[in-house]
Every structure is written in structure tokens, then in C-alpha cells.
Amino acid sequence: MISPATDVVRLLTVNGETLAVAESLTGGLVAAEITAVPGASKVFRGSVTAYATELKHELLGVDAGLLAARGAVDAQVAAQMAAGARRALGADWGVATTGVAGPDPQDGQPVGTVFVAVEGPSGAGRGSAPRGKVGALRLNGDRAEIRRESVRSVLALLLTELVGEQTGNERAQDTEQNGGF
């Protein structure tokens, strides 16, 4: 069985695109999963493990007011982390994980609350704003299980976006080759 990371690396390679990662609760596991795939060096730009809340602002540009108001475990924080990784590391795609793996709640959020985010280029013309998705998760299990499932979930979200992009590009190429609009 092919791993989601293998599919991510393959699709990014086919599309000629790159990936950057911002992690909190996963502490580098997403980057490790990607870099375990042979050929990842063609597409993987790097990662920022911003475990401390202030580093999310300082390194990834997450809005300090947002962090102060909502804490680090928040959908908008995840989205801004993904955008910040993409921008800071010069990648086409950025992904992010933030949440509570336990053993204690954080920022008023229970253990198992996780947000994963993906930000990528806009449509075929690439002239409009980037597009992004955020997934909100309520995970069960121990700390290790929550972290593993967070990695799986962010890679699945990225795969969904990459497959959608590839399908759109193939449609555009087919239409262009056949003289349509």
C-alpha cells in the first residue's frame, strides 16, 4: 500500500510544485513523514516547528491579536501557520498542524482538539489569491495516537487539494488542446 506521503511527493513532483510545513503539536512528524519518501528533496522546501505560541507569530507571521484572543489552538491560527510556512519558505503549498495532544487541555481546548490547514496556489492562471482549507478534528486516544492521526489528516487534506488541482489542470489542458474555452 502506498502511503499518503508517497502520493503527496508524487503529485507535487508531477505538478512541478513545492511544499513547506508548519507544525506545532506534531513536532516535526509531518516533515519526517514527507522526507522519508525517496525523491522528497525535489519538492520539500522545509519546515518550521513552532511549538511555543510566540514563535507562531515571530516565525510564521500569525496575527498576535488572534493568538492573544483565541490561543494557539484555533482554525484561523492553523490557516495563518500554513500561509506563513508557504511564504517564509517560498513554497507553492503550505500545510500546518496545531492542537492539543495532551495530557492536559490547552487554551481552554480539550485534549484531542486539532486543526490542520493547507494553503496552495489559486487556479490555473495563478493570478488570484491563494486558496486554503482548514480541517477541525476531535481525536481520541493517547498523545501518540493523536499526533499520528493529525499527521494522517493533514496529508489527507493536502492530497484532496492536490488531486483537485491535477483534475482541474487536466481539464484545462484537454479543453485547450481541443480548441475550447
Side-chain angles (χ1 to χ4, degrees):
M1 185 172 137
I2 295 176
S3 74
T6 300
D7 283 338
V8 163
V9 169
R10 181 183 57 77
L11 286 171
L12 287 169
T13 301
V14 165
N15 293 341
E17 295 176 323
T18 56
L19 174 66
V21 175
E23 299 185 68
S24 187
L25 84 149
T26 50
L29 294 175
V30 176
E33 192 76 13
I34 294 292
T35 58
V37 177
S41 61
K42 294 175 187 164
V43 299
F44 187 68
R45 296 281 302 156
S47 65
V48 174
T49 301
Y51 211 67
T53 299
E54 68 272 10
L55 293 179
K56 291 170 181 61
H57 169 68
E58 293 168 11
L59 298 177
L60 298 168
V62 175
D63 182 84
L66 174 64
L67 289 166
R70 296 192 186 164
V73 182
D74 180 79
Q76 283 185 286
V77 169
Q80 288 185 19
M81 287 173 65
R86 183 175 178 239
R87 183 176 51 253
L89 299 173
D92 298 299
W93 292 88
V95 299
T97 62
T98 187
V100 187
D104 300 315
Q106 179 185 338
D107 297 332
Q109 299 286 351
V111 172
T113 302
V114 175
F115 295 95
V116 296
V118 172
E119 183 178 287
S122 62
R126 305 282 202 245
S128 58
R131 69 173 194 266
K133 293 271 170 91
V134 177
L137 310 171
R138 293 285 183 188
L139 304 175
N140 295 313
D142 64 21
R143 183 175 173 78
E145 291 167 323
I146 290 169
R147 293 174 77 214
R148 274 193 308 272
E149 184 59 23
S150 298
V151 171
R152 191 205 63 74
S153 296
V154 78
L155 291 176
L157 186 61
L158 177 57
L159 271 175
T160 299
E161 292 300 299
L162 289 171
V163 168
E165 179 188 47
Q166 186 177 42
T167 302
N169 286 343
E170 288 168 357
R171 271 196 303 260
Q173 289 170 358
D174 181 56
T175 301
E176 190 176 297
Q177 289 170 356
N178 291 310
F181 294 97

